Amino acid sequence: AWALARRVPERPELDRVWRRLLDEARRGAGQLSAAAFPAVAHGVFAATRAHGGSTDGLASRLRITLAVARGRI
C-alpha cells in the first residue's frame, strides 16, 4: 500500500484501490509479529505520501511512536 501511495498524487485514479489496500493492511497489522515492524511502519505514512506530504523529521517519528502506543502497529 505504501508504494502505491507514492503514485496517487500523479495518478488520482489509483486512490480508490490504494484506500482499499490500506484498510486491509491496517486490519492485518495488529496480527503481525515484531519482526514485521519495519515493513508495517511504512503504512503509518501511506496517507501522507498519497497526498504529497513529507515524511521526514520529528513529526514522523512522533506518528510512529503514537501508532505503537495505541496498538495500531
Side-chain angles (χ1 to χ4, degrees), residues 8-66:
V8 171
E10 53 198 43
R11 298 200 44 207
E13 69 273 11
L14 296 175
D15 189 61
R16 183 186 301 169
V17 174
W18 167 76
R19 288 187 186 280
R20 188 179 72 237
L21 288 173
L22 184 61
D23 287 342
E24 291 174 15
R26 285 180 174 163
R27 279 194 300 270
Q31 300 169 0
L32 295 174
S33 69
F37 179 80
V40 174
H42 289 286
V44 173
F45 303 118
T48 302
R49 289 183 180 135
H51 295 100
S54 173
T55 58
D56 296 331
L58 180 61
S60 295
R61 288 188 287 262
L62 181 58
R63 288 187 66 194
I64 287 283
T65 302
L66 289 174

